Amino acid sequence: MSTNTLSRPRQGRIIGGVCAGIARRFGWSPTVVRVVAVASILIPGPQVLAYLICWVAIPNERQAA
């Protein structure tokens, strides 16, 4: 699958794979995206709701045939 496509990977994901998918899409480190996501939860706002929406909205990576 192309790295320009936003999808949740089947391998190397933690919880739903949202952070790993975002990191892969933009060429960032998954660890950095995960740390930022966890840190953002410490400030008030709808971050958890946004994560859950992304989990539902971002498709799983297609399996290689």
Side-chain angles (χ1 to χ4, degrees), residues 11-63:
Q11 299 292 324
R13 64 186 193 182
I14 298 175
I15 304 179
V18 174
C19 293
I22 290 171
R24 186 177 60 187
R25 165 64 176 88
F26 293 104
W28 301 335
S29 166
T31 303
V32 170
V33 176
R34 289 176 183 134
V35 167
V36 169
V38 169
S40 75
I41 291 173
L42 299 176
I43 41 180
Q47 293 84 338
V48 174
L49 181 61
Y51 186 90
L52 293 174
I53 290 170
C54 288
W55 192 346
V56 171
I58 299 173
N60 271 326
E61 175 181 62
R62 293 183 182 173
Q63 288 183 332

